[in-house]
Amino acid sequence: MKIYRLLTEEDTSAFCHKVSEALSKRWELYGDPTYAFDHANGIMRCAQAVTKEIDGDYHPDMKLGQQ
């Protein structure tokens, strides 16, 4: 089964590290990254969707970051 995550972070190297860590755990990029200005905090935010094939069924209590 395929599971989905949306990684988000402030537009700093921390975002790149978060995506790189997911890729090292065999997550795959899904679509293009997106950027948006966070008016409340005056910063840019990034988002990247990732997917991964896993054995078994999806459960809402899964810790997707630990997959």
Side-chain angles (χ1 to χ4, degrees):
M1 105 147 273
K2 188 175 280 195
I3 55 176
Y4 170 93
R5 289 176 66 195
L6 181 64
L7 306 173
T8 62
E9 185 69 53
E10 186 176 337
D11 187 13
T12 66
S13 63
F15 175 72
C16 296
H17 288 289
K18 186 181 276 192
V19 173
S20 295
E21 180 181 20
L23 294 173
S24 76
K25 294 179 178 179
R26 299 189 178 159
W27 288 85
E28 296 179 5
L29 299 177
Y30 182 81
D32 295 326
T34 60
Y35 302 91
F37 185 69
D38 177 346
H39 291 278
N41 295 299
I43 57 174
M44 290 297 292
R45 298 229 179 245
C46 305
Q48 174 65 58
V50 292
T51 60
K52 184 177 185 179
E53 286 287 337
I54 62 166
D55 293 329
D57 295 326
Y58 169 77
H59 299 284
D61 59 340
M62 292 175 83
K63 304 286 186 201
L64 297 177
Q66 296 176 0
Q67 294 295 317

